[in-house]
Amino acid sequence: MESIESDTDLAGKIEKRISESTIRRLSLYLRALSLLDKKGVKTISSKELASREKLTPAQVRKDLSFFGSFGTRGLGYPVSELRSEIAGILGINRIWKVALFGVGNIGSAMVSYKEFARQGFQIVKLFDNDQRKIGSNHKGIIVSDVSNLEPEIKEAGIEIAIIGVPATVAQYIVDDIVAAGIKAILNFAPINLKVPSDVYLRNENMSMELEYLSFAMVNNHSEKKTKP
Amino acid sequence: MESIESDTDLAGKIEKRISESTIRRLSLYLRALSLLDKKGVKTISSKELASREKLTPAQVRKDLSFFGSFGTRGLGYPVSELRSEIAGILGINRIWKVALFGVGNIGSAMVSYKEFARQGFQIVKLFDNDQRKIGSNHKGIIVSDVSNLEPEIKEAGIEIAIIGVPATVAQYIVDDIVAAGIKAILNFAPINLKVPSDVYLRNENMSMELEYLSFAMVNNHSEKKTKP
DNA sequence: GAATGTGAAGGTTTTCACAGCA
DNA sequence: TGCTGTGAAAACCTTCACATTC
């Protein structure tokens, strides 16, 4: 019952499995290109782009080559076009509606984080279980009761959830969210969440980065390359 | 002027270069082991530990084997001992003093983030450039003027800085921080900071994770393995 | 001349598979 | 028997180097 050519995506563009590293670097390229575009720069070579992100020119070219030929030999890449190509590849040439669960410290920070909106991630719903928070207004959004999430999520057309609730309750919330049909979750709770295989889950683990710094300091660990 | 055996650390334990992935997984093991320890679990097999973090048993054993032999054949690993071994390897069996720059949304969230303190990262100084914030009290810490950071950092014995200031000013602040002698920086600003090669820098890029989710959804990108 | 696009080479990380030990 | 520790194999990712194009 396997489909033929199961490694080909719907648009027929991606033939190979793209590595996580490549996708993460696309985010970096996108950020750099947006800045260059704003500055009015018209073209950029793989060499220049690489140097801005502490990568190699070959890496940049290889990453882009998985998706097409966007450059001109002898010249480089057209900044503005490449920017929108990458936005298209990453799927952020559109608005994604996001719901945030847990209006605590991290949650509040996320609501105010301008960078999300700039990338097309629009936080349109806030949920909490604290009666004192429910009904209150955060940056123009009224906090809803988490116990009634399904109709609100469906009505608002939410596709992505950000989990900012404590680790102790995160799994329960996620079970409800998954039941409500959400297919992508960004988790800030320091816990390993269980989700069905058709739900995309990413974990943001801030302690991990500090622990990496600690390890590096204690062991004089010179990095060969900082991964994106 | 190069030292002999420059790839050997001070304690003489680490012979090879340890990969970033291994270090990041150690953080995951540590978190899982802390939980198990609290629950009173005495031993755990690589298989069990792996399943909790969606990794393979061989991966767990290999990672640990870089640092020593902590297990017992036929039995598994002693939870509590392994936990402190890993804490030692990561260098968090001690208190690290941390300063936070920028008491905005992200900064405020970091101050209140219990997980940091739990791992030994103690935020002891807050800095901002906003006169309305300077002198105010956040969770028991008085916000200092960022223009006078050097004496305060040295006096408090700060070794790690967290950057929560806007991207536009981040590089200036970082230059001052580096001049003040700080050797490790966790950066939340969406910008590529330049630091001398003896300063450790890690970037926390939350948009990147959302973009990854977006990419996965748009391309039906089933992950072979979620990297830590 | 300058810079892309890309097979092939090289390097690194993960997984396998089994010897070795409790 | 059960599970670790680890060389060797496999898979994966990055870099090289050059043909190709503007």
Side-chain angles (χ1 to χ4, degrees):
Chain A
M1 290 287 261
E2 270 183 309
S3 72
I4 305 159
E5 300 255 290
S6 61
D7 57 347
T8 302
D9 82 334
L10 295 172
K13 268 186 185 172
I14 303 167
E15 313 284 322
K16 284 184 189 176
R17 222 201 145 269
I18 304 297
S19 80
E20 170 163 347
S21 303
T22 291
I23 300 162
R24 293 170 69 84
R25 282 189 299 266
L26 289 184
S27 289
L28 296 179
Y29 304 150
L30 182 68
R31 201 174 70 185
L33 291 164
S34 298
L35 209 71
L36 289 162
D37 197 19
K38 207 181 286 173
K39 278 191 195 165
V41 177
K42 294 297 174 216
T43 39
I44 190 162
S45 64
S46 59
K47 193 177 161 191
E48 269 185 275
L49 188 50
S51 80
R52 286 172 182 265
E53 301 297 336
K54 296 198 205 98
L55 301 166
T56 65
Q59 181 90 82
V60 172
R61 296 200 300 277
K62 185 61 107 185
D63 284 340
L64 296 175
S65 78
F66 292 133
F67 303 96
S69 300
F70 307 116
T72 307
R73 287 160 202 240
L75 241 182
Y77 299 92
V79 171
S80 181
E81 270 130 289
L82 185 56
R83 202 206 67 80
S84 39
E85 286 286 357
I86 295 177
I89 293 162
L90 291 175
I92 59 168
N93 51 357
R94 49 160 285 183
I95 301 291
W96 287 100
K97 293 198 177 165
V98 179
L100 193 144
F101 294 82
V103 190
N105 299 301
I106 288 175
S108 302
M110 294 305 114
V111 183
S112 314
Y113 192 54
K114 301 282 196 311
E115 202 63 14
F116 284 166
R118 207 172 292 145
Q119 306 297 322
F121 299 102
Q122 217 169 70
I123 298 178
V124 296
K125 284 276 176 189
L126 303 179
F127 291 91
D128 209 296
N129 67 352
D130 184 340
Q131 289 302 324
R132 287 165 299 180
K133 286 177 183 165
I134 295 167
S136 72
N137 187 317
H138 273 248
K139 300 266 166 181
I141 306 169
I142 305 295
V143 179
S144 301
D145 189 336
V146 75
S147 64
N148 185 40
L149 58 84
E150 182 152 359
E152 297 215 40
I153 281 178
K154 291 199 162 151
E155 197 199 324
I158 309 269
E159 288 164 287
I160 303 176
I162 301 179
I163 303 298
V165 303
T168 43
V169 297
Q171 185 64 60
Y172 304 116
I173 303 285
V174 165
D175 291 345
D176 289 352
I177 289 170
V178 168
I182 279 188
K183 286 282 176 282
I185 297 171
L186 177 58
N187 173 41
F188 281 86
I191 188 180
N192 225 304
L193 294 170
K194 272 153 201 59
V195 294
S197 63
D198 64 334
V199 173
Y200 298 104
L201 171 67
R202 301 290 295 177
N203 294 296
E204 194 77 72
N205 187 338
M206 296 177 296
S207 304
M208 192 182 266
E209 297 300 329
L210 281 179
E211 284 166 13
Y212 192 99
L213 284 173
S214 168
F215 174 85
M217 284 191 278
V218 168
N219 297 283
N220 291 309
H221 193 256
S222 58
E223 320 194 38
K224 191 196 43 181
K225 181 77 42 72
T226 304
K227 285 233 181 107
Chain B
M1 291 286 260
E2 271 185 308
S3 71
I4 304 160
E5 300 255 288
S6 60
D7 58 347
T8 301
D9 83 333
L10 297 171
K13 268 186 186 174
I14 304 168
E15 314 283 323
K16 284 187 191 175
R17 217 197 151 274
I18 304 298
S19 80
E20 169 164 346
S21 302
T22 292
I23 300 161
R24 293 171 68 83
R25 282 190 298 266
L26 289 183
S27 289
L28 294 180
Y29 303 151
L30 183 67
R31 201 174 70 182
L33 290 164
S34 298
L35 208 71
L36 289 163
D37 197 18
K38 204 180 288 173
K39 278 192 197 166
V41 177
K42 295 298 175 216
T43 39
I44 190 164
S45 65
S46 61
K47 192 176 162 192
E48 268 185 275
L49 188 50
S51 79
R52 287 174 181 263
E53 301 298 334
K54 295 197 206 100
L55 302 166
T56 64
Q59 181 90 82
V60 172
R61 296 200 301 274
K62 184 63 104 183
D63 284 340
L64 296 175
S65 77
F66 293 133
F67 303 96
S69 301
F70 308 116
T72 308
R73 288 162 202 237
L75 240 182
Y77 298 92
V79 170
S80 180
E81 271 131 289
L82 184 57
R83 202 205 68 81
S84 41
E85 287 286 358
I86 294 177
I89 293 163
L90 291 174
I92 59 167
N93 50 356
R94 50 161 285 185
I95 301 290
W96 289 98
K97 292 197 179 168
V98 179
L100 193 142
F101 295 82
V103 190
N105 298 302
I106 288 175
S108 301
M110 295 303 115
V111 184
S112 313
Y113 193 54
K114 302 284 198 312
E115 202 63 14
F116 284 166
R118 208 171 292 145
Q119 306 296 321
F121 299 103
Q122 218 169 67
I123 297 178
V124 296
K125 284 274 176 193
L126 303 180
F127 292 92
D128 208 297
N129 67 353
D130 184 341
Q131 289 302 324
R132 286 165 298 179
K133 285 177 183 166
I134 294 166
S136 72
N137 187 317
H138 272 248
K139 298 266 165 183
I141 306 168
I142 305 295
V143 179
S144 299
D145 189 338
V146 75
S147 64
N148 185 39
L149 59 84
E150 181 151 0
E152 296 215 40
I153 281 177
K154 291 199 162 149
E155 197 201 323
I158 309 269
E159 289 164 287
I160 302 176
I162 300 179
I163 303 298
V165 303
T168 45
V169 298
Q171 185 65 60
Y172 304 117
I173 302 284
V174 165
D175 291 345
D176 289 353
I177 288 171
V178 168
I182 278 187
K183 287 282 176 282
I185 296 171
L186 176 59
N187 173 42
F188 281 87
I191 189 181
N192 224 305
L193 294 170
K194 272 153 201 55
V195 294
S197 63
D198 65 332
V199 173
Y200 299 104
L201 171 68
R202 300 290 296 177
N203 295 297
E204 194 77 70
N205 187 337
M206 294 176 296
S207 303
M208 192 181 265
E209 297 300 328
L210 280 179
E211 285 166 12
Y212 192 100
L213 284 174
S214 168
F215 174 85
M217 281 190 280
V218 168
N219 297 282
N220 289 311
H221 193 257
S222 57
E223 320 193 38
K224 193 197 41 183
K225 180 77 40 74
T226 304
K227 282 230 182 112

